[in-house]
């Protein structure tokens, strides 16, 4: 009986051969993965890689067994071969269950805007989608809860708005009275700066948030350097009003004034997206514990491309490493208190807060000082993309303690399409030996031309330069930012707030047809107002405006972004636009 029982047990154990068992587990594993893909869930790279490696190694062992059946050294490996696909199947099953429990969005993205529906306020949910290399992934999104109601929040914003409105427009009974803009333009101490620009004829140009106008001085600045190049060749590096080998010295002082920084904290180099990547080399150093990045929902696409590719480059899954900050239901912009709450809740996993200084779609300016302070309390880096902030906002990057920032120069800084970008690196990092992608222009000047192979970074932002800058592009920027120096940033901000307040008051008389998405608090916006059409189609309104000479910015499905720029726009420009919009 013992012998028979043992034989039965032995036969039971070997119902399946090793190869058959591995085959069964393979079918189960890839069946689960296939189901996840069909269901729209992105399979993390580490799951796919682990599965491939396990099965590759398993089949290699089996092949060696077939070729060397009598080799005792493989005996142990043969016995454990069956365990390896079992582990892979178990890991895949755990991912499948986690994905199943978390769920996927029930509705697709509509009109380029990510839906704000979540399971519960204050809870991470899988909202909307983003993607890299054509592959979509789910993005976790945080929505605030508690505190002030939406009604109370809006009342508080209205109170801040009225404080400025009372100062500027207290005694005006009819905002549509033409005497309002006539008087404002007559008393505008910056009105003469309009003549410093080539203003397109027969237009109402309100698109400085996309491309600033060309200063009249720009052509002269460029031609001066072209003549030097023509007549002196390489000697132009060391001769003339602007020696090329230190051309950046002529820009950083003016640029520092614009962003509220010290000269050593600023550099002008590359294009904006390139600088976004270069700044994340030192400032995004993820660890297994702190690897996540916080960004606003619906950022400018390039920002999402940057952080997605950076996360992937460091070996992390974007669907796990990115948190988006979304407005509360019924609200269009982010509350600072909710951003701070998100940082607090995820303080142990956040490595970086990466926000636009001004949200390009809504026109909301974030409170960088408060956000940076909160991030620093938990050892989190804070950086901002100021593409829509430089030359538009009252910036104090140094005093606000921001770790790093980048901005373009072709919007409000009027340097020409696609021109160079600026960077800010706070002086606390000036002498730190941080990781960077080095180049010869970031090397110390005293030995830059000595052909030494040891890199010695210049202190501050200059040490992050890679290549010598294109001189024609640099002097184009110079021709514009000298005007900012002459006008004074405080004067420009003062006019901007008055001009946009006038614009807003006109729009508020059309609230049945127009929704202003931009915050009412003047300190949380620049000159841009984002207008949502409520009763008419953008397909009819925008072409009408264009035929009337309006140059503004269209964002489907229903938003028009309008930016009256204080350097060259007048109150009359705003009034004329409002009249045309009312007619449309």
């Amino acid at each position: 009986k013992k012998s028979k029982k043992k034989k039965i047990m032995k036969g039971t154990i070997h119902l399946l051969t090793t190869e058959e068992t591995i085959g069964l587990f393979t079918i189960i594993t890839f069946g689960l993965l296939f189901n996840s893909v069909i269901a729209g869930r992105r399979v993390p790279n580490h799951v796919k890689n682990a599965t491939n490696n396990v099965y590759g190694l398993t089949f290699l062992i089996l092949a060696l067994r077939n070729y060397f059946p009598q080799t005792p050294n493989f005996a142990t490996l043969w016995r454990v071969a069956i365990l390896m696909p079992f582990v892979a199947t178990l890991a895949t099953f755990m991912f499948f269950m986690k994905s199943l429990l978390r769920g996927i969005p029930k509705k697709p993205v509509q009109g380029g805007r990510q839906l704000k529906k979540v399971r519960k306020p204050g809870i991470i949910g899988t909202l909307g989608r983003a993607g890299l290399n054509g592959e979509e992934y789910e993005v976790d999104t945080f929505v605030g809860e508690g505190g002030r109601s939406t009604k109370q929040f809006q009342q508080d914003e209205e109170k801040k708005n009225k404080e400025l409105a009372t100062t500027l427009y207290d005694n005006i009974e009819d905002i549509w009275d033409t005497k309002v803009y006539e008087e404002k333009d007559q008393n505008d101490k910056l009105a003469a700066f309009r003549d410093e620009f080539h203003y397109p004829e027969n237009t109402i140009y309100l698109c400085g948030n996309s491309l600033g106008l060309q200063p009249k001085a720009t052509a002269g600045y460029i031609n001066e350097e072209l003549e030097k190049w023509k007549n002196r060749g390489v000697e132009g590096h060391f001769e003339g009003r602007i020696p090329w080998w230190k051309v950046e010295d002529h820009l950083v002082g003016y640029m520092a004034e614009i962003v509220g920084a010290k000269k050593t904290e600023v550099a002008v180099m590359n294009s904006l997206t390139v600088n976004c990547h270069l700044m994340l080399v030192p400032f995004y150093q993820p660890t297994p514990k702190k690897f996540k990045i916080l960004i606003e929902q619906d950022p400018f696409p390039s920002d999402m491309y940057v952080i997605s590719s950076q996360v992937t480059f460091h070996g992390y899954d974007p669907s796990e490493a990115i948190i988006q900050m979304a407005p509360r239901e019924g609200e269009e912009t982010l509350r600072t208190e909710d951003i701070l709450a998100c940082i607090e809740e995820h303080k142990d996993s956040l490595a970086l807060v990466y926000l636009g200084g001004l949200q390009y779609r809504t026109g909301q300016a974030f409170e960088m000082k408060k956000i940076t302070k909160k991030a620093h309390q938990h050892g989190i880096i804070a950086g901002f993309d100021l593409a829509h902030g430089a030359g538009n906002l009252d910036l104090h990057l140094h005093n606000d303690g921001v770790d790093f920032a980048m901005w373009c120069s072709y919007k409000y800084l009027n340097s020409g399409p696609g021109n160079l970008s600026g960077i800010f690196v706070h002086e606390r990092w000036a002498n730190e030996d941080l990781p960077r992608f080095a180049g010869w222009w970031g090397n110390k000047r005293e030995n830059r031309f000595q052909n030494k192979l040891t890199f010695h970074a210049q202190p501050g932002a200059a040490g992050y330069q890679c290549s010598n800058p294109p001189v024609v592009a640099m002097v184009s920027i110079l021709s514009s930012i000298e005007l900012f120096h002459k006008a004074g940033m405080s004067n420009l901000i003062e006019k901007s707030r008055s001009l946009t307040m006038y614009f807003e008051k006109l729009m508020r008389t059309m609230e049945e047809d127009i929704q202003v998405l931009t915050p009412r608090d003047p300190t949380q916006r620049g000159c841009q107002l984002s207008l949502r059409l409520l009763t008419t189609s953008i397909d009819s309104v925008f072409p009408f405006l264009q035929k009337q000479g309006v140059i503004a910015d269209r964002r489907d499905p229903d938003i028009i972004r309008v930016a009256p720029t204080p350097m060259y726009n007048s109150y009359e420009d705003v009034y004329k636009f409002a009249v045309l919009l009312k007619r449309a």
Side-chain angles (χ1 to χ4, degrees), residues 241-288:
R241 183 172 67 92
I242 304 175
W244 301 336
W245 81 285
K246 53 181 181 179
V247 60
E248 60 267 29
D249 288 355
H250 293 263
L251 281 75
V252 292
Y254 296 140
M255 197 67 84
E257 290 178 3
I258 291 170
V259 299
K262 297 183 177 181
K263 288 174 62 174
T264 55
E265 296 175 318
V266 172
V268 180
M269 62 187 206
N270 309 310
S271 56
L272 177 55
T273 302
V274 171
N275 282 339
C276 292
H277 279 293
L278 291 179
M279 288 293 93
L280 291 188
V281 174
F283 292 112
Y284 179 56
Q285 294 290 311
T287 66

Side-chain angles (χ1 to χ4, degrees), residues 5 33 70 81 137 169 171 198 240 246 312 314 319 363 365 398 414 431 439 449 531 536 554 582:
K5 184 177 181 181
L33 293 176
Q70 304 302 322
Y137 54 83
Y169 301 98
N171 298 320
H198 292 290
K246 53 181 181 179
T312 303
H314 284 280
S319 64
H398 175 81
N414 315 306
N431 298 305
F449 293 97
L531 311 176
T536 52
R554 169 178 176 165
K582 199 172 185 179

Side-chain angles (χ1 to χ4, degrees), residues 16-31 55 58-59 62 81-82 85-86 89:
L16 295 176
T17 65
T18 301
E19 290 85 350
E20 291 169 338
T21 305
I22 291 173
L24 177 62
F25 284 139
T26 303
I27 292 171
I28 296 173
T29 299
F30 288 101
Y55 281 107
T58 301
F59 290 130
L62 292 176
I82 192 173
F86 173 75
T89 303

